[in-house]
Amino acid sequence: MTAPAPSSPTPAPRPGFVYFLGRVVLRPLFWVMYRPRIVGRGNVPARGPVLLASNHLAALDTVIIPTSAARPVQFLIKSSYFTGSGVLGRFKRWFFTSIGGVPVYRATGRDARAALDAGSSILRAGSVFAVFPEGTRSRDGKLHEGHGGAAWMARDTGAAVVPVGLIGTGTVKPLSHLLPGRPRLEVHFGEPLDLTDLEGVPDGKARREITERMMAAIARLSGQERSGSVNATSRD
């Protein structure tokens, strides 16, 4: 059971020294381990708020996207990493705060809205924020239906929406980079979605259309089959 969200929102954290140091270290390391093929990096606008909407296959996704993007990227991170006690709990809280992580509370209503508000605050500051519209990792490899939170943030902030297709992250196993024929990961950044025709469209209808365009673009980039249903096979 996760802790309740704070009663009043606090300013969203920004990436600090630890984030940039980690990126400097991990980029060459990942190049050796996974030989990532990065396509369309230039599709991410160099300035202004950007919402990256990606498929989700493995825990590695939250690391491979920031190390592949030209700009710093922030994510929602499970609230339990910010609420632990003891030395380890304090270290996790310090680390995830230092990399600009935003705690997400696995709930509905006020707690879920607090997470969306935190993401919107990052976008309003002109930064890059990444989300997994499916909500959880896909265990069967299919692309599941997107939830409306990403579309809500896009609509709320006017951020550019860039779809991202990850290929191969779900097949990476511990020490697999040491074996012959090790997998090569691919990160495809698509062109920003054109949402200008949705200006003036009622919010509910616009969010549904944005979500559908988002998932269709992700499917094209990742090559995944769409399941046609919400992902209920994972809790991460």
Side-chain angles (χ1 to χ4, degrees):
M1 181 174 180
T2 58
S7 57
S8 59
T10 56
R14 301 294 296 271
F17 173 75
V18 172
Y19 176 93
F20 294 100
L21 176 62
R23 199 159 69 155
V24 168
V25 173
L26 290 176
R27 272 183 169 171
L29 180 62
F30 280 4
W31 181 258
V32 173
M33 293 175 62
Y34 305 123
R35 302 171 297 148
R37 179 173 177 250
I38 303 171
V39 179
R41 183 184 279 159
N43 286 328
V44 179
R47 297 181 185 82
V50 178
L51 181 66
L52 300 179
S54 175
N55 58 325
H56 193 17
L57 300 169
L60 180 64
D61 301 342
T62 58
V63 184
I64 200 70
I65 291 176
T67 56
S68 301
R71 294 175 61 185
V73 178
Q74 290 176 257
F75 273 97
L76 291 174
I77 295 175
K78 288 192 295 185
S79 62
S80 58
Y81 290 130
F82 295 84
T83 57
S85 59
V87 175
L88 181 59
R90 288 194 296 271
F91 173 79
K92 286 182 178 180
R93 184 162 54 252
W94 167 81
F95 176 78
F96 287 108
T97 299
S98 297
I99 64 173
V102 178
V104 58
Y105 299 86
R106 299 291 178 135
T108 58
R110 181 177 61 83
D111 290 353
R113 177 58 183 266
L116 294 178
D117 286 341
S120 289
S121 70
I122 289 174
L123 294 171
R124 289 196 192 95
S127 300
V128 181
F129 189 62
V131 293
F132 300 119
E134 293 171 276
T136 58
R137 284 188 284 168
S138 173
R139 299 291 189 180
D140 58 12
K142 295 181 180 180
L143 183 69
H144 298 273
E145 294 301 287
H147 296 280
W152 184 90
M153 284 188 283
R155 184 83 166 172
D156 182 54
T157 64
V161 179
V162 175
V164 180
L166 301 176
I167 299 175
T169 59
T171 62
V172 172
K173 305 296 182 185
L175 303 180
S176 62
H177 61 283
L178 299 177
L179 302 174
R182 63 188 187 279
R184 184 174 187 182
L185 308 185
E186 296 185 28
V187 184
H188 294 255
F189 294 97
E191 295 183 359
L193 300 182
D194 182 3
L195 305 176
T196 55
D197 61 309
L198 297 179
E199 294 178 9
V201 175
D203 282 343
K205 182 178 180 180
R207 287 196 297 268
R208 289 191 293 273
E209 179 61 23
I210 291 171
T211 301
E212 172 54 31
R213 293 184 190 183
M214 213 181 274
M215 303 314 293
I218 292 172
R220 287 194 297 270
L221 294 168
S222 68
Q224 289 172 282
E225 176 187 350
R226 297 186 64 177
S227 73
S229 61
V230 173
N231 186 4
T233 62
S234 171
R235 295 185 179 180
D236 333 271

